Amino acid sequence: IEQIYHQIKRHTPEFIYFSSESFLSMPEGEFDMFIKEYSKIKIPFWIQTRIETITEKHLSELRKVGMHWMTIGLEHGNEDYRKQILKRNYSNKVFVERMDILKDLDMGASVNNMIGLPFETRDLIFDTIRMNRELLNRNPRLECNAFLFTPYKGCELYDVCKKNNLLDDSFITASAVGEETVLNFPKEFKKELSGLARTFNFYVRLPDKFYSDIRVAER
């Protein structure tokens, strides 16, 4: 709160973005304090959080004091793959239930996904597409995104990639968003991943009858 007032004094912002990737992991006492103090600030804001931290109380209270948008990571639509590779232990059912809270409150959110992960196949990527289709059908205010996976040194998946010869010894992460995967996949699969990243939202938003056309658009 002190930092917000400091930035308001310096920059007179019209919008505030909280960069914490798990905004709602704070203890309930701190959350209640935030709501009380932020109600005096009256500047719209955007948060990121994990699906496990969402409750109707949280979203209702945040909306009252100016939350305009939020970002949530689904990351992958296949439950087993998500638990085994990404260590995300929530089920698709729980994700849908928590996202339905947004729908009931007439709220939208950005749903982030990753493709091009270790041991992933085209079929697994389409599990993610299908899950996003279901979420969007339930709440048309959602925005779905897909980013090519980028490993960071110090994280478990970086070591997994190194162990399976998916990274060169000289690799240093330069950017989290690129047009081509940094992993050592076969050339054709690398091209396929770039095409799927470009056309991800076509697959999510358009009827199945357009899928053959989108397959052409991938290239």
Side-chain angles (χ1 to χ4, degrees):
I1 296 298
E2 289 177 359
Q3 180 64 220
I4 292 169
Y5 279 118
H6 175 71
Q7 298 297 343
I8 290 172
K9 186 176 180 179
R10 290 187 66 190
H11 302 294
T12 319
E14 297 178 353
F15 199 93
I16 292 175
Y17 178 77
F18 292 100
S19 61
S20 166
E21 294 183 351
S22 191
F23 184 89
L24 289 174
S25 63
M26 67 179 79
E28 283 300 301
E30 290 184 17
F31 176 81
D32 293 338
M33 181 276 291
F34 174 84
I35 295 297
K36 178 181 177 181
E37 296 300 322
Y38 202 90
S39 65
K40 307 169 188 174
I41 294 171
K42 304 183 187 304
I43 298 176
F45 62 95
W46 179 332
I47 70 165
Q48 301 182 73
T49 199
R50 285 179 62 125
I51 196 70
E52 302 98 320
T53 65
I54 288 176
T55 67
E56 185 173 358
K57 176 205 169 182
H58 285 149
L59 298 191
S60 297
E61 294 294 311
L62 288 169
R63 194 176 189 194
K64 287 176 185 176
V65 297
M67 185 178 75
H68 179 75
W69 199 252
M70 66 189 306
T71 298
I72 305 165
L74 170 63
E75 312 306 0
H76 204 280
N78 183 288
E79 285 185 11
D80 293 336
Y81 181 91
R82 189 172 62 233
K83 289 178 181 178
Q84 181 180 352
I85 303 299
L86 300 178
K87 305 300 188 283
R88 296 283 185 118
N89 293 318
Y90 48 81
S91 67
N92 285 353
K93 181 175 181 289
V94 166
F95 198 96
V96 168
E97 288 172 350
R98 301 292 174 88
M99 294 298 286
D100 278 351
I101 297 174
L102 276 80
K103 179 184 67 175
D104 294 340
L105 294 172
D106 195 28
M107 294 173 58
S110 297
V111 180
N112 286 348
N113 305 274
M114 291 187 289
I115 65 173
L117 289 146
F119 321 121
E120 192 179 33
T121 62
R122 184 180 179 92
D123 287 342
L124 282 169
I125 291 170
F126 269 83
D127 286 344
T128 301
I129 289 169
R130 281 186 286 271
M131 181 64 177
N132 279 262
R133 284 172 68 91
E134 178 182 351
L135 294 169
L136 189 64
N137 285 336
R138 298 174 76 95
N139 185 356
R141 295 194 63 189
L142 298 179
E143 295 290 340
C144 303
N145 306 304
F147 302 97
L148 289 167
F149 165 71
T150 302
Y152 287 90
K153 193 170 186 178
C155 296
E156 184 177 337
L157 279 181
Y158 180 94
D159 296 332
V160 170
C161 292
K162 291 282 287 186
K163 182 179 179 181
N164 289 274
N165 299 315
L166 293 173
L167 285 177
D168 297 327
D169 290 337
S170 60
F171 174 78
I172 298 175
T173 302
S175 172
V177 180
E179 295 184 359
E180 184 177 278
T181 177
V182 297
L183 300 189
N184 294 329
F185 291 129
K187 184 177 179 180
E188 283 304 308
F189 189 56
K190 294 182 81 161
K191 288 175 61 177
E192 185 174 14
L193 287 172
S194 295
L196 284 166
R198 289 193 301 269
T199 58
F200 182 84
N201 263 302
F202 289 146
Y203 281 116
V204 170
R205 291 180 173 272
L206 293 176
D208 292 4
K209 66 180 180 179
F210 291 107
Y211 272 24
S212 60
D213 296 317
I214 301 171
R215 185 72 185 260
V216 174
E218 285 183 40
R219 301 195 294 273

